Amino acid sequence: MKLLEERIRRDGIVRDGDVLKVDSFLNHQMDVALFNEMGREFERLFHGCGVNKILTIEASGIGVACVTAQYFGCPVVFAKKSKTKNLAPDVWTSKVYSFTHDRVYDIIVSRAFLGPEDRVLLLDDFLANGEALKGLIDIVDQSGAALVGAAICVEKAFQPGGDKLRSEGIRVESLARIKSMSAENGIEFC
Ligand code: 5GP
């Protein structure tokens, strides 16, 4: 998606450790008009797939997920990062290794909000090693819901998550795919 690529090129900041900061429009301050175009594009890509629920993970995916959900006319569920050791029996749960924080989280989704009647579109801001999506897919599988695919804002295609998920037969659609990036040479898209 040209609009997103241009914005990343203009306002994205490449940090050490293969981290792209996009705080000015996606991860801290949020450009809702841009989210609106991204939501429209996600709906075009997954049109007719019967999506009736969008599943994301707190916190960064929630904003885009909400705007996107208006195009699908469906609710958003976000997996919560659990702080307690004692997990309630009425939740689906999985573990996620965080790329940006270098730690493992338990994530939970209430069983009341995900079940066999659902056709789920996963949505996240970034795809790097695929750990966040792996945890969400585990939760979808436990719940008996059908997985339609994954909608990603920014895929760092030089990291293995996207290829791995696609090779497992999961439909992954990314609005911007970064081929390479460095502070010296800038950002190159696929
Ligand atoms: P993965 O689980 O695919 O390894 O990483 C995806 C998650 O880590 C996303 O939910 C996102 O929050 C975070 N993340 C990964 N890489 C980046 C990055 O370069 N920039 C930002 N802002 N977040 C990232």
Side-chain angles (χ1 to χ4, degrees):
M1 187 189 182
K2 276 276 159 289
L3 191 65
L4 180 60
E5 288 184 2
E6 281 164 12
R7 193 60 180 272
I8 292 168
R9 228 188 269 285
R10 197 184 83 190
D11 293 336
I13 299 165
V14 180
R15 287 276 161 82
D16 290 346
D18 287 334
V19 171
L20 176 67
K21 295 291 275 184
V22 285
D23 280 5
S24 65
F25 63 94
L26 183 58
N27 285 148
H28 193 14
Q29 175 168 261
M30 295 185 280
D31 183 335
V32 181
L34 176 64
F35 285 15
N36 195 41
E37 294 311 313
M38 290 159 67
R40 194 198 308 273
E41 179 62 5
F42 282 138
E43 199 282 331
R44 191 188 66 77
L45 290 165
F46 288 98
H47 189 80
C49 294
V51 172
N52 69 348
K53 207 152 277 186
I54 293 178
L55 178 64
T56 186
I57 185 165
E58 71 176 349
S60 307
I62 296 174
V64 183
C66 288
V67 176
T68 301
Q70 291 193 295
Y71 283 97
F72 285 90
C74 74
V76 174
V77 176
F78 64 90
K80 296 186 177 190
K81 291 171 179 162
S82 170
K83 290 167 194 75
T84 61
K85 281 265 179 291
N86 301 319
L87 296 172
D90 56 348
V91 295
W92 311 114
T93 177
S94 192
K95 287 191 187 301
V96 169
Y97 171 73
S98 164
F99 176 83
T100 37
H101 298 113
D102 190 24
R103 55 161 290 197
V104 175
Y105 293 96
D106 286 310
I107 58 166
I108 60 164
V109 171
S110 170
R111 293 186 185 207
F113 304 133
L114 202 63
E117 66 285 1
D118 289 321
R119 291 184 58 77
V120 179
L121 179 64
L122 306 178
L123 190 151
D124 206 2
D125 58 342
F126 274 88
L127 172 56
N129 293 315
E131 295 293 325
L133 286 187
K134 203 170 92 188
L136 293 177
I137 291 166
D138 183 22
I139 281 181
V140 171
D141 287 345
Q142 290 174 48
S143 76
L147 179 64
V148 170
I152 300 297
C153 304
V154 187
E155 176 180 344
K156 293 186 292 181
F158 57 87
Q159 290 179 295
D163 286 346
K164 192 164 156 287
L165 291 162
R166 290 183 185 99
S167 75
E168 290 167 9
I170 293 161
R171 182 175 173 195
V172 180
E173 298 284 358
S174 305
L175 300 184
R177 299 185 74 229
I178 297 176
K179 188 174 170 187
S180 65
M181 63 182 201
S182 68
E184 304 76 40
N185 301 319
I187 297 166
E188 196 188 344
F189 293 97
C190 293

